[in-house]
Amino acid sequence: MTEIKESLRGLSIQLSLLNHQIGAHVDLKDVDFYCLDLVNRYGPLSPSALSRRAGLHPATMTGILDRLQRGGWVVRDRDPEATDRRAVTVRALRDRNSELFALYAGMNASMDELCADYDDDELRIIADFLRRTTDAGGRATDELVDE
């Protein structure tokens, strides 16, 4: 179990470094890059929902969204379903994603090679473990945010 935890910690560090380098290539601060990833993955989101997911203060989120919008990564649209006419949702602009995909190409190719060494049953177990680890990390993050 210790070896697994140490490996996950090493993976976390290495992925953070990879994301930092990719963000630097497209002129995004780390926190901006992570918020963009959240919008790409879970959006469109309201700024307050994004703020909660990221564990950031709403005022901090405003600055992040301003930078992402200026960079052409996201737009803020009026929420037609909201009762408050000022309500907006944040939506990622997909046309810039090709830049990110190109920067992740090396990692994606390495992952394809790595996964080729496992059969379907083993891949299902690995995917389940990673999903459950991600869920555990989310719960731990939520607990810290709520304090």
Side-chain angles (χ1 to χ4, degrees):
M1 195 174 324
T2 300
E3 187 176 343
I4 290 172
K5 289 177 182 177
E6 285 298 317
S7 293
L8 285 171
R9 190 168 178 216
L11 174 62
S12 174
I13 292 166
Q14 194 55 58
L15 290 177
S16 291
L17 293 171
L18 174 63
N19 288 337
H20 174 77
Q21 288 302 314
I22 288 174
H25 274 80
V26 293
D27 199 29
L28 287 174
K29 295 180 180 189
D30 289 353
V31 70
D32 298 1
F33 187 74
Y34 291 127
C35 288
L36 175 61
D37 199 25
L38 288 170
V39 173
N40 270 318
R41 189 174 189 114
Y42 303 107
L45 295 167
S46 70
S48 59
L50 179 57
S51 177
R52 278 191 302 279
R53 273 200 185 267
L56 298 170
H57 190 276
T60 302
M61 187 56 62
T62 299
I64 292 167
L65 291 176
D66 287 346
R67 288 190 298 272
L68 289 173
Q69 191 164 8
R70 272 195 310 272
W73 295 101
V74 301
V75 292
R76 294 174 181 131
D77 295 320
R78 293 275 174 226
D79 186 348
E81 298 177 19
T83 55
D84 183 347
R85 301 185 83 196
R86 297 167 293 172
V88 298
T89 58
V90 179
R91 177 176 53 86
L93 294 172
R94 304 288 182 189
D95 32 329
R96 295 237 25 214
N97 281 348
S98 61
E99 294 173 60
L100 298 176
F101 292 143
L103 293 167
Y104 277 112
M107 181 62 174
N108 284 332
S110 293
M111 291 302 301
D112 289 344
E113 286 179 30
L114 180 76
C115 288
D117 292 338
Y118 297 93
D119 66 35
D120 287 346
D121 289 337
E122 291 170 320
L123 288 172
R124 274 191 283 281
I125 290 169
I126 293 168
D128 178 63
F129 175 78
L130 292 172
R131 204 173 14 261
R132 292 169 65 191
T133 301
T134 300
D135 291 346
R139 286 189 302 275
T141 301
D142 291 344
E143 289 173 12
L144 291 173
V145 169
D146 292 338
E147 286 183 357

